[in-house]
Amino acid sequence: MPFTPPPRPARAPLQGRYCRLEPLGAAHAPALFAAFAADDGHMWDYMPNGPFDTLSAYSAWLKGAIAVDDPLQFAVVVDGVPLGTLSLLRIDPAAGSIEVGYISFSPALQRSRAATEAIYLTLKWSFEAGYRRFEWKCNALNLASRRAALRYGLSYEGVFRQATVVKGRNRDTAWFAAIDGEWPALRAAFEAWLDAGNFDNEGRQRRALSDLTAGIVGPSMAGEAASRPEPGRLGDVV
């Protein structure tokens, strides 16, 4: 059956149970700057932007970021408060390929149900829109980002050596991806993990998402993907 290119993502919100992805706008800047200020600055280690010392500096970056459609930036809003951002980027409808990246999650968002759901919402939109391939790329030194990709059920595809230069430093880029044939299993894993019944009265998970996605991740390279790089934060140009 011939492939029909999917639509490009629109500047429209994506609603979940624990968070809402809103098209990033100038009004989000004060709350995001305040949320990011709780970090010690290391969340920006692998990012091409940041850290930002002032609200005006962050607002200037945001103004430029929202002026383009690729990357298409979203604010991650929890209980009405913006706590982080992410984007859909390298959008290629003709190939059916799309990537999630520019993941900037504040300390208040990290390791939360909302953070996981934010990634799920981008996966869900992409595959339901008709994309064939969903990518995640990160600095090969960013262990946290590499582990997160595997937890989310994306398969490791290798490292592109000396792929680019970020903030004056070499970047080897680790590639991860999920394809449309894996989406039904991924959707079931995320929905099982996000279900309220998967958490006890203290909010602790009963079953880890990594256990639910273990059978989806390409087994031959999963161990290699989670080894060798230096410790880091999730934030990255992925």
Side-chain angles (χ1 to χ4, degrees):
M1 183 175 180
F3 171 68
T4 300
R8 298 183 68 86
R11 290 185 183 271
L14 300 176
Q15 183 66 52
R17 283 172 283 186
Y18 306 110
C19 74
R20 174 181 169 90
L21 301 187
E22 297 180 356
L24 188 62
H28 294 119
L32 286 170
F33 179 73
F36 294 150
D39 185 78
D40 59 9
H42 287 297
M43 66 176 283
W44 306 103
D45 284 352
Y46 297 109
M47 300 285 286
N49 55 303
F52 302 95
D53 295 329
T54 65
L55 174 58
S56 60
Y58 182 69
S59 296
W61 174 84
L62 187 149
K63 182 179 180 180
I66 64 178
V68 300
D69 293 326
D70 188 349
L72 182 60
Q73 300 276 353
F74 292 88
V76 183
V77 179
V78 181
D79 296 328
V81 181
L83 295 177
T85 67
L86 52 67
S87 73
L88 291 171
L89 69 156
R90 297 188 178 92
I91 304 160
D92 188 350
S97 177
I98 196 166
E99 182 179 338
V100 66
Y102 276 91
I103 300 171
S104 304
F105 287 175
S106 70
L109 183 58
Q110 294 168 15
R111 300 180 180 276
S112 68
R113 277 179 258 186
T116 293
E117 186 179 54
I119 302 298
Y120 170 65
L121 290 173
T122 61
L123 275 161
K124 184 173 186 289
W125 183 88
S126 299
F127 284 123
E128 291 185 355
Y131 284 84
R132 306 165 57 239
R133 176 177 170 84
F134 182 93
E135 297 180 334
W136 173 293
K137 304 187 187 85
C138 62
N139 191 309
L141 296 177
N142 192 343
L143 179 59
S145 189
R146 294 175 70 152
R147 286 178 171 169
L150 295 176
R151 174 177 176 265
Y152 294 139
L154 280 68
S155 295
Y156 174 63
E157 297 183 333
V159 171
F160 281 40
R161 298 174 298 165
Q162 296 186 186
T164 188
V165 175
V166 178
K167 294 178 178 174
R169 295 173 295 182
N170 173 64
R171 172 174 139 153
D172 295 346
T173 297
W175 286 53
F176 299 80
I179 57 175
D180 53 358
E182 297 162 342
W183 170 235
L186 281 173
R187 179 178 56 212
F190 273 93
E191 290 181 354
W193 188 85
L194 290 166
D195 188 86
N198 189 44
F199 300 89
D200 64 19
N201 292 335
E202 283 71 47
R204 294 172 299 204
Q205 65 181 1
R206 301 184 190 279
R207 191 171 183 190
L209 181 59
S210 57
D211 292 337
L212 294 164
T213 59
I216 306 168
V217 173
S220 63
M221 293 186 176
E224 181 184 350
S227 65
R228 293 184 299 160
E230 299 172 2
R233 302 293 180 90
L234 176 57
D236 205 342
V237 159
V238 296

